[in-house]
Amino acid sequence: MVEIKLHNTKSRRKEILAPIDPKNVRMYVCGPTVYDRAHIGNARPVIVFDVLFRLLRHVYGPEHVTYVRNFTDVDDKINARAAESGRSIGEITAETTQWYLEDMAAVGALEPTEMPRATAYIPQMIAMIETLIEKGHAYAAEGHVLFSVESYAAYGRLSGRSVDDMIAGARVEVAPYKRNPMDFVLWKPSAPDLPGWESPWGRGRPGWHIECSAMSYELLGAEFDIHGGGNDLMFPHHENEIAQSCCAHPEGGFARIWMHNEMLQVEGRKMSKSLGNFFTVRDLLDQGVPGEVIRFVFLSTHYGKPMDWTEKKAREAEATLRKWRALTDGIAAGSPSPAALAALADDLNTAGAIAEMHRLAGAGDGAALKATGALLGLLSDEMGAWASVPEADLSAYADRLAAAREAAMASKDFSEVDRLKAALLAAGVEVRMSKAGVELLPGVGFDVAKLEGLE
């Protein structure tokens, strides 16, 4: 059997995955808060842990892997969206959950074994909170229930921070009912116009952190193999999950291996609405960027390193996938490359697996290329429709723009050049003009139909 090694955030080293039960390898990954479309950064953990899910299924058998990814469908952001839109919370969460599933399917993600919604596990959350109070790890105050950080000596070991450092670096809510500034909310009161459930502490709703602890315990038990998510969740969310779960169920160790993917940038800069480089997965898909291309770009960088989304990478990914699909068209998948499998088993080295796919393509081994692609969620028949659309020949447009530019240099009237260039850019064409001439390249979101007005 293939030996899988994964970097464990908690131990800060690679560890051999030794499943608690090889007949039921268990993984939990923190899912979305469903109040809007998923941005491209949200897609990174989905794609990363989808590859791990595929690897585990390949090694242990599909029937022996349980993958849980939750939906947070009770949250202040959801409440705010409902209030500003005039729609019900149920309508919003149903719609945005479906959006998420559709967008993640478009980038090739398999659906997890279980996709629990937080609102379906309120009784389990209340029961866990009661257990924490009974064991002296939580206390009720003014309609709230808070976890006592001081009651858990190992708090901070995952992120490697001291409590003082965490206080200094966190947005700690100051409240008179807290015994310690770091104590965090397990339950809070709800106003009549907000979602709420009856509890021993009055009508209210759960804090964010308790959700994953209760759902993972219910579906995976007191101890399971892998817990994943983005590194922005390491503190406080994952730190709090550990504290709650280990105190409520000390008979288990909660998650044995913790995995965190790094964040995403756009053209070398942090993604931000203020910088104008914030976009969703659906934005890219609607611009004509194939989901398979998005996936390829993401997998070209190791999950533990920051990933930079660029138009150049998307163009190169599309060109590569077109060549690979031409090579594998009509060919039955063979066996995946042992070298690619070894790369994935070495802490999900997806870049190494893609390098092996380049070698297979160069050798003309379409059967192995297709099978290896399946391990990465690439080259499937279901995702290949985009590649059947032929690439447009832009040479005639380049000649027209070059001629217009030459005439403008003599007349000093560049209006036609500007018109042609604007139309090309609107169609998603990258325009490069230099002394050497005019070069046109299909850019991200290229739409050949938008060029019809230039005929």
Side-chain angles (χ1 to χ4, degrees):
M1 183 175 286
V2 175
E3 183 179 82
I4 298 175
K5 293 183 179 179
L6 302 170
H7 184 269
N8 189 347
T9 306
K10 199 169 185 178
S11 65
R12 289 156 180 74
R13 60 183 175 84
K14 283 186 191 179
E15 295 182 6
I16 296 172
L17 173 64
I20 299 166
D21 177 6
K23 296 294 184 182
N24 186 17
V25 184
R26 288 162 286 168
M27 175 170 69
Y28 187 98
V29 176
C30 292
T33 299
V34 283
Y35 68 97
D36 206 345
R37 288 280 186 185
H39 62 69
I40 60 167
N42 299 142
R44 193 175 194 197
V46 174
I47 293 172
V48 166
F49 292 105
D50 180 68
V51 173
L52 180 54
F53 185 36
R54 291 170 184 270
L55 176 63
L56 294 173
R57 285 163 58 95
H58 178 81
V59 173
Y60 294 97
E63 69 278 13
H64 298 309
V65 181
T66 302
Y67 172 23
V68 179
R69 188 185 67 218
N70 71 294
F71 285 108
T72 294
D73 59 348
V74 52
D75 182 86
D76 290 342
K77 290 180 180 177
I78 300 172
N79 299 340
R81 180 57 55 90
E84 69 186 27
S85 68
R87 300 173 65 200
S88 73
I89 287 170
E91 284 180 303
I92 289 172
T93 58
E95 179 181 62
T96 52
T97 296
Q98 188 58 37
W99 285 349
Y100 184 86
L101 292 173
E102 291 171 357
D103 292 349
M104 295 309 108
V107 297
L110 301 172
E111 287 199 353
T113 317
E114 301 279 356
M115 294 185 287
R117 293 176 296 107
T119 53
Y121 287 80
I122 300 296
Q124 291 86 345
M125 296 178 205
I126 291 173
M128 182 173 275
I129 294 169
E130 288 179 312
T131 298
L132 289 168
I133 292 174
E134 290 168 7
K135 294 185 175 184
H137 294 292
Y139 57 94
E142 297 183 24
H144 295 74
V145 181
L146 296 107
F147 183 89
S148 174
V149 168
E150 290 179 337
S151 74
Y152 183 57
Y155 192 81
R157 287 185 184 173
L158 178 68
S159 55
R161 307 183 190 186
S162 69
V163 173
D164 288 343
D165 288 341
M166 287 185 276
I167 292 174
R171 295 177 181 175
V172 176
E173 180 188 2
V174 177
Y177 48 79
K178 282 189 176 186
R179 296 177 184 172
N180 182 304
M182 285 301 297
D183 292 350
F184 57 88
V185 173
L186 302 174
W187 190 263
K188 55 188 173 184
S190 283
D193 61 331
L194 294 177
W197 292 262
E198 294 303 322
S199 79
W201 318 286
R203 183 179 179 278
R205 60 193 191 275
W208 174 36
H209 312 297
I210 194 68
E211 296 175 13
C212 291
S213 287
M215 288 187 284
S216 64
Y217 177 73
E218 202 61 28
L219 295 170
L220 300 176
E223 188 167 26
F224 53 92
D225 300 295
I226 302 165
H227 194 313
N231 70 354
D232 58 325
L233 298 179
M234 192 186 310
F235 176 81
H237 185 52
H238 289 165
E239 203 74 75
N240 293 352
E241 275 190 72
I242 292 172
Q244 296 162 163
S245 296
C246 289
C247 290
H249 299 288
E251 71 277 11
F254 196 38
R256 286 192 172 183
I257 292 178
W258 285 85
M259 297 177 66
H260 293 91
N261 62 275
E262 261 287 356
M263 295 296 99
L264 176 143
Q265 297 177 323
V266 176
E267 302 289 349
R269 307 174 75 184
K270 182 179 178 181
M271 188 169 65
S272 166
K273 289 181 180 179
S274 63
L275 294 175
N277 65 352
F278 179 96
F279 45 91
T280 67
V281 173
R282 180 51 52 182
D283 289 335
L284 286 180
L285 295 170
D286 288 347
Q287 289 167 16
V289 184
E292 189 173 32
V293 169
I294 297 171
R295 187 180 183 94
F296 187 101
V297 173
F298 278 34
L299 295 180
S300 297
T301 301
H302 187 270
Y303 78 89
K305 296 180 180 178
M307 199 218 89
D308 191 16
W309 172 271
T310 68
E311 290 201 10
K312 180 182 178 187
K313 286 181 181 179
R315 283 198 309 272
E316 292 172 347
E318 180 173 339
T320 296
L321 287 167
R322 281 187 182 277
K323 292 176 185 176
W324 288 359
R325 283 196 167 275
L327 180 61
T328 58
D329 185 35
I331 292 179
S335 298
S337 158
L341 184 56
L344 292 178
D346 184 14
D347 196 30
L348 288 191
N349 182 2
T350 53
I354 287 176
E356 172 62 6
M357 291 180 72
H358 280 290
R359 189 195 69 77
L360 292 170
D365 191 346
L369 180 64
K370 192 167 187 176
T372 302
L375 281 176
L376 291 163
L378 300 170
L379 303 182
S380 69
D381 295 338
E382 297 78 15
M383 292 188 73
W386 68 271
S388 62
V389 179
E391 292 183 276
D393 181 1
L394 299 176
S395 58
Y397 300 104
D399 291 344
R400 277 185 65 183
L401 183 57
R405 182 171 176 245
E406 185 175 350
M409 295 294 285
S411 67
K412 306 303 180 185
D413 179 4
F414 285 85
S415 58
E416 179 63 6
V417 173
D418 293 339
R419 186 188 74 83
L420 290 172
K421 186 177 178 181
L424 289 164
L425 291 172
V429 178
E430 183 179 337
V431 179
R432 298 179 181 178
M433 293 191 292
S434 66
K435 292 180 180 179
V438 173
E439 182 181 13
L440 303 181
L441 297 169
V444 174
F446 170 64
D447 185 354
V448 67
K450 292 181 179 178
L451 293 174
E452 291 177 359
L454 289 176
E455 294 296 341

